[in-house]
C-alpha cells in the first residue's frame, strides 16, 4: 500500500515506510556532522564522529547502488545494455566508497559527497530508463513504474541535498574546525 505525500509531486507515490525510513536515514548524517563541530579539535569525539560519518555515508552509497541490482533481480529487463549498465553501476558506489574511506579523512568526506551526487545523477539516468523498459516490455504495471521512478527521483534529490550538506559540514570540520 502506498500513500501520497507532500514530498512528492501530485500523483506520485512511494510506499510510506520507504519514505519514512529514507527520511530517518538523514538523522545519523545530521547528528554526526553536528558532533564533529560540537567537540574540541583535540577531543576524541571529532575524529570518532568524522569516522562514523564517513562509514555511514559509505554504507548508504553502497545501498543506493544495490537498489539497481534489486531492480534487475526482481524483474530482468529485455534491454541487455541497460541491464548491464545497471548491474555495473550497482557495484560501483561500494567500490568508490571504499576508495574514499582510505583517503585522508577530509578528502574522503569530500569524495563521498561527490559519490552521493554521482549516484543521484545515475539514478536520474537509470530509473526513467527502467520505466521506459517496463512500457516497451508491456509490463502490466508499467505505469506504476513510471510514477515510482518520478517519486523516487524527487525524494532522492532532497535526500541528496541534505546528505551533501552534512558531508560538506564534516569536511569543513576536518579542515577548519578549531
Amino acid at each position: 500500500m502506498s500513500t501520497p505525500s507532500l514530498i512528492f509531486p501530485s500523483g506520485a507515490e512511494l510506499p510510506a515506510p520507504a519514505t519514512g525510513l529514507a527520511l530517518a536515514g538523514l538523522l545519523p548524517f545530521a547528528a554526526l556532522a553536528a558532533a564533529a563541530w560540537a567537540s574540541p579539535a583535540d577531543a576524541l569525539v571529532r575524529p570518532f564522529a568524522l569516522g562514523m560519518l564517513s562509514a555511514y555515508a559509505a554504507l548508504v552509497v553502497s545501498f543506493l547502488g544495490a537498489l539497481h541490482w534489486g531492480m534487475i533481480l526482481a524483474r530482468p529487463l529485455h534491454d541487455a545494455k541497460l541491464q548491464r549498465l545497471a548491474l555495473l553501476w550497482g557495484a560501483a558506489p561500494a567500490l568508490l566508497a571504499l576508495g574514499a574511506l582510505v583517503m585522508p579523512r577530509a578528502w574522503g568526506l569530500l569524495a563521498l559527497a561527490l559519490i552521493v551526487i554521482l549516484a543521484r545523477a545515475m539514478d536520474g539516468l537509470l530509473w526513467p530508463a527502467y520505466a521506459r523498459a517496463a512500457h516497451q516490455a508491456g509490463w502490466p504495471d508499467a505505469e506504476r513504474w513510471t510514477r515510482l521512478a518520478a517519486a523516487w527521483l524527487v525524494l532522492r534529490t532532497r535526500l541528496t541535498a541534505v546528505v551533501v550538506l552534512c558531508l560538506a559540514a564534516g569536511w569543513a570540520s576536518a579542515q577548519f574546525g578549531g
Side-chain angles (χ1 to χ4, degrees), residues 25-39 45-57 109 166-167 169-170 173:
L26 294 175
L27 294 175
F29 282 107
L32 291 166
W37 277 101
S39 64
V45 175
R46 177 172 287 158
F48 177 78
L50 292 174
M52 290 297 292
L53 181 60
S54 296
Y56 185 64
L109 287 162
C166 291
L167 291 170
S173 172

Side-chain angles (χ1 to χ4, degrees), residues 74-168:
R75 196 170 280 173
L77 304 173
H78 296 294
D79 182 337
K81 280 185 177 179
L82 177 59
Q83 186 164 301
R84 187 171 31 262
L85 175 61
L87 291 172
L88 288 171
W89 170 250
L95 297 172
L96 293 170
L98 180 61
L101 288 176
V102 299
M103 297 172 97
R105 183 72 66 218
W107 297 110
L109 287 162
L110 183 60
L112 286 162
L114 294 173
I115 296 164
V116 168
I117 293 168
L118 177 61
R120 171 54 186 87
M122 289 301 294
D123 278 1
L125 173 75
L126 290 170
W127 283 95
Y130 300 151
R132 284 190 302 278
H135 282 281
Q136 291 168 353
W139 294 355
D141 59 350
E143 191 53 43
R144 179 182 168 274
W145 279 100
T146 300
R147 289 191 315 274
L148 181 66
W152 174 240
L153 293 176
V154 170
L155 179 61
R156 278 283 286 121
T157 299
R158 294 184 175 153
L159 295 171
T160 296
V162 173
V163 169
V164 168
L165 285 173
C166 291
L167 291 170

Side-chain angles (χ1 to χ4, degrees), residues 9-44:
S10 62
E13 296 179 351
L14 278 178
T19 303
L21 289 169
L23 294 172
L26 294 175
L27 294 175
F29 282 107
L32 291 166
W37 277 101
S39 64
D42 59 343
L44 295 176

